[in-house]
Amino acid sequence: MHQTERAARQSLVDHCRAMSASGLSFNKSGNASVRWGGGLLITPTGRAYDQLQVDEIVYLQADGTCPPGQLLPSSEWRIHRDILQAFPDANGIMHLHSPHATALACLGLGIPAFHYMVAAAGSDHIPCAGYATFGTEALSANILKVLQGGLRACLMANHGLVAMGASLEDAYALAGEVENLARQYIIARSLGPTQDLPRDEMERVLEKFKTYGQQRDEA
């Protein structure tokens, strides 16, 4: 977690600029948030990320209202607020319109276990949440419905993807991983049917992921 509110705001600006510059989500598309002070800090609606300033980040209270004098929050604030309320271990959220994940989502497709790295999202597949109009409670409900059983990311039908993490850095990294998997899956599908891994193998992979990477020594 960030030590100061300004650091949290700066992190949102930095990650959104990186998201836009990398092509993960262009110009004004996508949004991001971090848990803060009983509510959340979230990107404003309608701001191009290459011009976004720290003082334009919006503080949103838990009831969905904002203190006066701020810009309007992202139109997708309900997704961010509801995920943070539903998953207490999540502290950062990234929502992207990345090209390959969005292409799959426009076909109503999720990502099956064609590659073991699908487990990075916390399950043996990455589902696609049902479509609802952007910014609505129905869309948020559809996303929460599929983000169960340890999942930390999903696609959004005819829309994009959303990823959460213990930090904004984790959420950003996972969103990038999901986009990369979507790209690989589309390439593989263009060559023929994928050879998906069976459930028991994905269960082994998920177990190994619990101790994957550098582990902190608490002793």
Side-chain angles (χ1 to χ4, degrees):
M1 294 290 286
H2 299 284
Q3 297 300 310
T4 68
E5 181 177 347
R6 185 166 186 83
R9 288 170 173 266
Q10 185 65 60
S11 182
L12 282 166
V13 171
D14 292 344
H15 280 86
C16 286
R17 287 180 176 173
M19 174 180 71
S20 180
S22 68
L24 282 174
S25 218
F26 289 103
N27 196 19
K28 302 174 184 179
S29 67
N31 33 76
S33 70
V34 294
R35 190 186 299 275
W36 190 261
L40 62 146
L41 294 168
I42 189 169
T43 48
T45 189
R47 280 290 194 269
Y49 291 126
D50 61 352
Q51 300 174 16
L52 183 64
Q53 301 299 313
V54 169
D55 61 3
E56 294 180 324
I57 297 298
V58 179
Y59 175 67
L60 188 72
Q61 298 170 142
D63 62 1
T65 62
C66 297
Q70 298 189 111
L71 297 176
L72 293 175
S74 165
S75 59
E76 300 293 9
W77 64 265
R78 287 180 178 83
I79 295 174
H80 296 261
R81 190 272 309 271
D82 293 351
I83 289 176
L84 291 174
Q85 289 184 349
F87 300 97
D89 59 341
N91 293 302
I93 299 170
M94 296 292 304
H95 164 49
L96 285 67
H97 295 176
S98 55
H100 297 87
T102 300
L104 289 178
C106 288
L107 297 175
L109 297 176
I111 305 175
F114 81 105
H115 191 289
Y116 75 88
M117 279 300 294
V118 166
S123 185
D124 62 356
H125 71 295
I126 301 172
C128 183
Y131 177 79
T133 305
F134 77 93
T136 61
E137 293 181 17
L139 177 57
S140 181
N142 288 350
I143 291 168
L144 291 181
K145 184 178 179 179
V146 300
L147 284 179
Q148 301 298 328
L151 267 163
R152 296 185 295 276
C154 71
L155 306 189
M156 304 156 60
N158 305 92
H159 195 145
L161 75 89
V162 65
M164 60 176 155
S167 66
L168 188 62
E169 291 78 8
D170 290 343
Y172 184 85
L174 179 55
E177 185 64 52
V178 173
E179 168 61 13
N180 188 50
L181 286 164
R183 181 179 64 86
Q184 293 169 342
Y185 183 53
I186 288 172
I187 293 171
R189 282 279 298 261
S190 74
L191 301 174
T194 55
Q195 183 174 294
D196 298 343
L197 296 170
R199 181 179 292 274
D200 61 345
E201 173 57 17
M202 288 303 291
E203 288 175 352
R204 285 189 286 270
V205 172
L206 285 162
E207 188 63 29
K208 288 176 69 68
F209 265 39
K210 293 178 181 179
T211 55
Y212 176 76
Q214 300 296 318
Q215 302 297 309
R216 180 178 298 174
D217 185 358
E218 299 294 345

mmCIF file of all heavy atoms in Angstrom, residues 4 36 40 79 92 113 151 162 182 195 212:
data_model
loop_
_atom_site.group_PDB
_atom_site.id
_atom_site.type_symbol
_atom_site.label_atom_id
_atom_site.label_comp_id
_atom_site.label_asym_id
_atom_site.label_seq_id
_atom_site.Cartn_x
_atom_site.Cartn_y
_atom_site.Cartn_z
ATOM 1 N N THR A 4 1.438 7.579 1.280
ATOM 2 C CA THR A 4 0.749 8.863 1.284
ATOM 3 C C THR A 4 -0.278 8.910 0.161
ATOM 4 O O THR A 4 -0.173 8.170 -0.830
ATOM 5 C CB THR A 4 1.731 10.032 1.093
ATOM 6 O OG1 THR A 4 2.277 9.986 -0.235
ATOM 7 C CG2 THR A 4 2.868 9.960 2.115
ATOM 8 N N TRP A 36 -8.354 3.501 -0.782
ATOM 9 C CA TRP A 36 -7.792 4.607 0.003
ATOM 10 C C TRP A 36 -8.822 5.165 0.975
ATOM 11 O O TRP A 36 -9.933 5.496 0.593
ATOM 12 C CB TRP A 36 -7.299 5.736 -0.904
ATOM 13 C CG TRP A 36 -6.519 6.745 -0.120
ATOM 14 C CD1 TRP A 36 -6.950 7.939 0.374
ATOM 15 C CD2 TRP A 36 -5.178 6.590 0.316
ATOM 16 N NE1 TRP A 36 -5.960 8.548 1.093
ATOM 17 C CE2 TRP A 36 -4.847 7.741 1.071
ATOM 18 C CE3 TRP A 36 -4.202 5.591 0.156
ATOM 19 C CZ2 TRP A 36 -3.590 7.917 1.658
ATOM 20 C CZ3 TRP A 36 -2.952 5.765 0.726
ATOM 21 C CH2 TRP A 36 -2.656 6.921 1.467
ATOM 22 N N LEU A 40 -11.934 4.956 -2.267
ATOM 23 C CA LEU A 40 -10.928 4.670 -3.286
ATOM 24 C C LEU A 40 -10.552 5.924 -4.047
ATOM 25 O O LEU A 40 -11.317 6.896 -4.102
ATOM 26 C CB LEU A 40 -11.436 3.620 -4.271
ATOM 27 C CG LEU A 40 -12.676 3.970 -5.098
ATOM 28 C CD1 LEU A 40 -12.580 3.340 -6.494
ATOM 29 C CD2 LEU A 40 -13.945 3.454 -4.414
ATOM 30 N N ILE A 79 -17.700 -0.670 -10.918
ATOM 31 C CA ILE A 79 -16.878 -1.871 -10.999
ATOM 32 C C ILE A 79 -15.787 -1.819 -9.933
ATOM 33 O O ILE A 79 -15.577 -2.777 -9.184
ATOM 34 C CB ILE A 79 -16.243 -2.013 -12.392
ATOM 35 C CG1 ILE A 79 -17.309 -2.221 -13.462
ATOM 36 C CG2 ILE A 79 -15.231 -3.160 -12.408
ATOM 37 C CD1 ILE A 79 -16.754 -2.212 -14.873
ATOM 38 N N GLY A 92 -5.764 -2.737 -5.698
ATOM 39 C CA GLY A 92 -5.621 -2.025 -6.960
ATOM 40 C C GLY A 92 -6.409 -2.708 -8.061
ATOM 41 O O GLY A 92 -6.517 -3.944 -8.068
ATOM 42 N N ALA A 113 -7.619 -23.136 -20.721
ATOM 43 C CA ALA A 113 -6.292 -23.548 -20.262
ATOM 44 C C ALA A 113 -5.433 -24.017 -21.434
ATOM 45 O O ALA A 113 -4.848 -25.102 -21.405
ATOM 46 C CB ALA A 113 -6.428 -24.637 -19.210
ATOM 47 N N LEU A 151 -10.397 -16.173 -8.654
ATOM 48 C CA LEU A 151 -10.103 -15.426 -9.879
ATOM 49 C C LEU A 151 -9.778 -13.966 -9.577
ATOM 50 O O LEU A 151 -10.416 -13.340 -8.737
ATOM 51 C CB LEU A 151 -11.295 -15.489 -10.831
ATOM 52 C CG LEU A 151 -11.262 -16.607 -11.870
ATOM 53 C CD1 LEU A 151 -12.644 -16.809 -12.457
ATOM 54 C CD2 LEU A 151 -10.257 -16.292 -12.971
ATOM 55 N N VAL A 162 -10.812 -6.684 -16.930
ATOM 56 C CA VAL A 162 -10.562 -6.075 -15.628
ATOM 57 C C VAL A 162 -9.683 -7.023 -14.835
ATOM 58 O O VAL A 162 -9.825 -8.247 -14.915
ATOM 59 C CB VAL A 162 -11.884 -5.764 -14.875
ATOM 60 C CG1 VAL A 162 -12.647 -7.020 -14.529
ATOM 61 C CG2 VAL A 162 -11.608 -4.925 -13.631
ATOM 62 N N ALA A 182 -4.288 -13.508 -24.301
ATOM 63 C CA ALA A 182 -5.320 -13.353 -25.326
ATOM 64 C C ALA A 182 -4.685 -13.310 -26.713
ATOM 65 O O ALA A 182 -5.192 -13.929 -27.665
ATOM 66 C CB ALA A 182 -6.128 -12.084 -25.067
ATOM 67 N N GLN A 195 -4.809 -27.254 -27.835
ATOM 68 C CA GLN A 195 -4.679 -28.471 -27.041
ATOM 69 C C GLN A 195 -4.705 -28.057 -25.569
ATOM 70 O O GLN A 195 -3.674 -27.870 -24.934
ATOM 71 C CB GLN A 195 -3.358 -29.181 -27.390
ATOM 72 C CG GLN A 195 -3.141 -30.497 -26.683
ATOM 73 C CD GLN A 195 -1.893 -31.190 -27.182
ATOM 74 O OE1 GLN A 195 -1.816 -31.605 -28.333
ATOM 75 N NE2 GLN A 195 -0.895 -31.318 -26.319
ATOM 76 N N TYR A 212 5.533 -19.813 -6.363
ATOM 77 C CA TYR A 212 6.318 -19.422 -7.538
ATOM 78 C C TYR A 212 6.985 -18.075 -7.309
ATOM 79 O O TYR A 212 6.397 -17.164 -6.720
ATOM 80 C CB TYR A 212 5.403 -19.354 -8.760
ATOM 81 C CG TYR A 212 6.088 -18.870 -10.015
ATOM 82 C CD1 TYR A 212 6.927 -19.702 -10.736
ATOM 83 C CD2 TYR A 212 5.912 -17.556 -10.448
ATOM 84 C CE1 TYR A 212 7.550 -19.262 -11.895
ATOM 85 C CE2 TYR A 212 6.534 -17.106 -11.604
ATOM 86 C CZ TYR A 212 7.359 -17.962 -12.316
ATOM 87 O OH TYR A 212 7.979 -17.511 -13.442
#
